[in-house]
Amino acid sequence: MSDFPTIVILAIAAGLDYAIGDPWNWLHPVQVMGWVITKFTQPVLRYLKSPLSQKLAGIWVGLILVIGSGLVSWLMVAAVKTMTVQLPFHGIICVGLQSILLASCFAARSLRAAAEDVQEALQRGDLPTSRQRLSQYVGRDTEQLSKPEIERAIVETITENAIDGMMAPLFYGIIGLLIPAVGSVPLAWAYKAASTLDSMIGYREAPYTHIGWFSAKLEDVLTWLPCRLSVITVALLSGQPRRVWQICRRDAIHDPSPNAGWSECAYAVALGVQLGGVNQYGGKVKHKPTLGDPISPITSETIERALTITRHAVFLWLGLTFILFIIRAIFWQ
C-alpha cells in the first residue's frame, strides 16, 4: 500500500479546505502568481504594441508561470523530504507540508464564504451592501441588481467556479498519484497557475486580447476533461443523468466558454433553475445564453443545494480514488 500516504494527502487537503479555507493574512500562492503576472504584463502592454509580439509574450509568460509553479512546488516538497529524512516524524512532516500546499489549490471554502457573505446582507434586506459585496466576486455591474438577480449571480459564480476552484485542481491532484515522480502538488499548482492566468489576462477585450490569448486557450484545454467529468458527476448526483446530459447538449453549446457553460448548465438542471440571461459589464448590456429550464425560482435554498452538490462531488471523487487504489494495491502489486 505504498500509495496510501499520497492518497491521504488528498483527503487531508480537501479536509483543510473544507474546515479552514485560506487563513487570513497568510501569503497565498495565487497572490504570488498574480504579482508575477502583473509585473510581466504591465511593461509588455506598455512597450509591445503589435498583436504578434503580445501573443508571443503571452505564450512565454504562460509557459514560464505554469511550468515554474509546478517546479517550485516540486522542489519545496523534495527539499523538505531531504532535510527531514533523519527526523523521527519525517513522514508526518512530509504529508503535512504536501497537504497544506495542495489545500492552497482548493477554493471550495472560499466559494462558500463568498456566497454566505453576500447572502447575509441579502437576507436582512440590505440590497446596497449585498450588491457591494457581490461586486468583489463577480465581473458584472452590480449597482442596480434586484434580489433575484443577485441570487442568480451567486449561483452562477458557484457553479462556474466549482470546476476551476475545486474539481479541476482535485482532478490533477488525483492524476498526480499516477505519476509518483511528479506527485499531486506540482500538477495541481501548475493547473492553478493556468487558472490564475486566465482569470487575470484571459479576456477577449482590450488590452488583454492578444497577451491573454494563450492563457485563455491553455486554461480551456486543461479544464475540458475535469469539467466533463464534473458534469457527469453532477448528473449522477442529481438522480436524472439523462436529462442533465440532454439539456447540456441543448444549451451549453451556445455558451462562448467551452467549459463554464457546461458546468453552469449541469448545475442548473440539477437544481431545476435557469441561469444566464442579461447582464451588464462596464455599462454594456450582454446577453448570455440561458441554461436549463425555469422550473423553480432561485432562492437561498438553491444556493445551499449548489454548494452541497459540489461537496458531494468532492466526496465521491475522493471515495472512488481510494477504492481504485486499494484495488490496484491488491491485484497489481
Side-chain angles (χ1 to χ4, degrees), residues 205 277-281 284-288:
E205 294 81 10
V278 178
N279 297 320
Q280 282 195 19
Y281 297 86
K284 297 179 180 179
V285 176
K286 291 190 176 182
H287 296 266
K288 290 193 66 177

Side-chain angles (χ1 to χ4, degrees), residues 1 18 31 39 53 81 91-93 108 168 170-171 186 191 221 238 269:
M1 296 283 287
Y18 177 77
Q31 291 176 288
K39 289 298 181 182
S53 62
K81 285 182 177 179
I92 295 176
I93 294 172
L170 179 59
F171 170 82
Y191 174 79
V221 170
S238 73
V269 181

Side-chain angles (χ1 to χ4, degrees), residues 192-307:
K192 200 65 179 180
S195 177
T196 304
L197 279 161
D198 179 61
S199 65
M200 290 187 66
I201 62 174
Y203 298 100
R204 296 183 179 182
E205 294 81 10
Y208 302 113
T209 307
H210 304 296
I211 192 173
W213 169 82
F214 176 77
S215 296
K217 295 297 182 182
L218 178 63
E219 199 272 346
D220 285 345
V221 170
L222 293 178
T223 306
W224 192 92
L225 181 55
C227 178
R228 269 60 186 178
L229 293 175
S230 298
V231 167
I232 293 171
T233 304
V234 171
L236 292 172
L237 290 172
S238 73
Q240 45 184 343
R242 185 172 182 177
R243 174 173 168 76
V244 170
W245 193 253
Q246 287 176 337
I247 301 300
C248 282
R249 293 186 65 186
R250 184 193 75 187
D251 295 346
I253 58 173
H254 300 297
D255 194 280
S257 169
N259 297 311
W262 281 83
S263 173
E264 291 183 38
C265 190
Y267 276 88
V269 181
L271 297 168
V273 300
Q274 187 174 76
L275 302 178
V278 178
N279 297 320
Q280 282 195 19
Y281 297 86
K284 297 179 180 179
V285 176
K286 291 190 176 182
H287 296 266
K288 290 193 66 177
T290 53
L291 306 169
D293 297 321
I295 298 172
S296 305
I298 298 174
T299 63
S300 59
E301 288 75 19
T302 309
I303 295 169
E304 180 58 37
R305 284 169 57 206
L307 293 166

Side-chain angles (χ1 to χ4, degrees), residues 20-320:
I20 301 174
D22 299 323
W24 285 75
N25 300 322
W26 282 34
L27 181 64
H28 195 280
V30 170
Q31 291 176 288
V32 179
M33 295 173 189
W35 180 85
V36 173
I37 295 167
T38 300
K39 289 298 181 182
F40 180 85
T41 55
Q42 286 179 344
V44 168
L45 293 173
R46 186 179 300 117
Y47 298 113
L48 300 182
K49 300 302 181 181
S50 73
L52 178 59
S53 62
Q54 290 191 3
K55 277 192 175 184
L56 291 174
I59 293 172
W60 187 86
V61 70
L63 292 175
I64 291 296
L65 190 67
V66 170
I67 296 172
S69 297
L71 181 59
V72 166
S73 63
W74 184 89
L75 289 172
M76 291 172 63
V77 172
V80 170
K81 285 182 177 179
T82 301
M83 291 187 296
T84 62
V85 69
Q86 301 298 329
L87 297 180
F89 301 106
H90 164 72
I92 295 176
I93 294 172
C94 293
V95 168
L97 172 69
Q98 292 179 78
S99 299
I100 293 171
L101 292 177
L102 189 57
S104 70
C105 297
F106 299 153
R109 178 59 182 248
S110 299
L111 204 56
R112 172 178 286 275
E116 291 174 346
D117 184 43
V118 179
Q119 277 188 286
E120 187 276 329
L122 196 62
Q123 289 172 348
R124 54 185 169 84
D126 189 352
L127 278 179
T129 299
S130 183
R131 291 166 180 153
Q132 187 275 327
R133 291 179 179 178
L134 180 64
S135 68
Q136 301 174 38
Y137 309 112
V138 301
R140 72 191 69 182
D141 299 340
T142 62
E143 293 83 0
Q144 303 300 321
L145 294 184
S146 64
K147 183 175 182 289
E149 289 173 323
I150 292 173
E151 289 172 327
R152 173 167 68 87
I154 296 173
V155 175
E156 288 174 350
T157 300
I158 292 171
T159 57
E160 177 181 354
N161 290 287
I163 306 302
D164 57 13
M166 187 66 210
M167 302 309 294
L170 179 59
F171 170 82
Y172 284 103
I174 293 171
I175 294 299
L177 295 178
L178 304 174
I179 316 173
V182 177
S184 296
V185 175
L187 287 186
W189 268 45
Y191 174 79
K192 200 65 179 180
S195 177
T196 304
L197 279 161
D198 179 61
S199 65
M200 290 187 66
I201 62 174
Y203 298 100
R204 296 183 179 182
E205 294 81 10
Y208 302 113
T209 307
H210 304 296
I211 192 173
W213 169 82
F214 176 77
S215 296
K217 295 297 182 182
L218 178 63
E219 199 272 346
D220 285 345
V221 170
L222 293 178
T223 306
W224 192 92
L225 181 55
C227 178
R228 269 60 186 178
L229 293 175
S230 298
V231 167
I232 293 171
T233 304
V234 171
L236 292 172
L237 290 172
S238 73
Q240 45 184 343
R242 185 172 182 177
R243 174 173 168 76
V244 170
W245 193 253
Q246 287 176 337
I247 301 300
C248 282
R249 293 186 65 186
R250 184 193 75 187
D251 295 346
I253 58 173
H254 300 297
D255 194 280
S257 169
N259 297 311
W262 281 83
S263 173
E264 291 183 38
C265 190
Y267 276 88
V269 181
L271 297 168
V273 300
Q274 187 174 76
L275 302 178
V278 178
N279 297 320
Q280 282 195 19
Y281 297 86
K284 297 179 180 179
V285 176
K286 291 190 176 182
H287 296 266
K288 290 193 66 177
T290 53
L291 306 169
D293 297 321
I295 298 172
S296 305
I298 298 174
T299 63
S300 59
E301 288 75 19
T302 309
I303 295 169
E304 180 58 37
R305 284 169 57 206
L307 293 166
T308 300
I309 289 173
T310 303
R311 185 166 64 251
H312 289 173
V314 171
F315 290 155
L316 181 58
W317 281 25
L318 288 173
L320 289 175

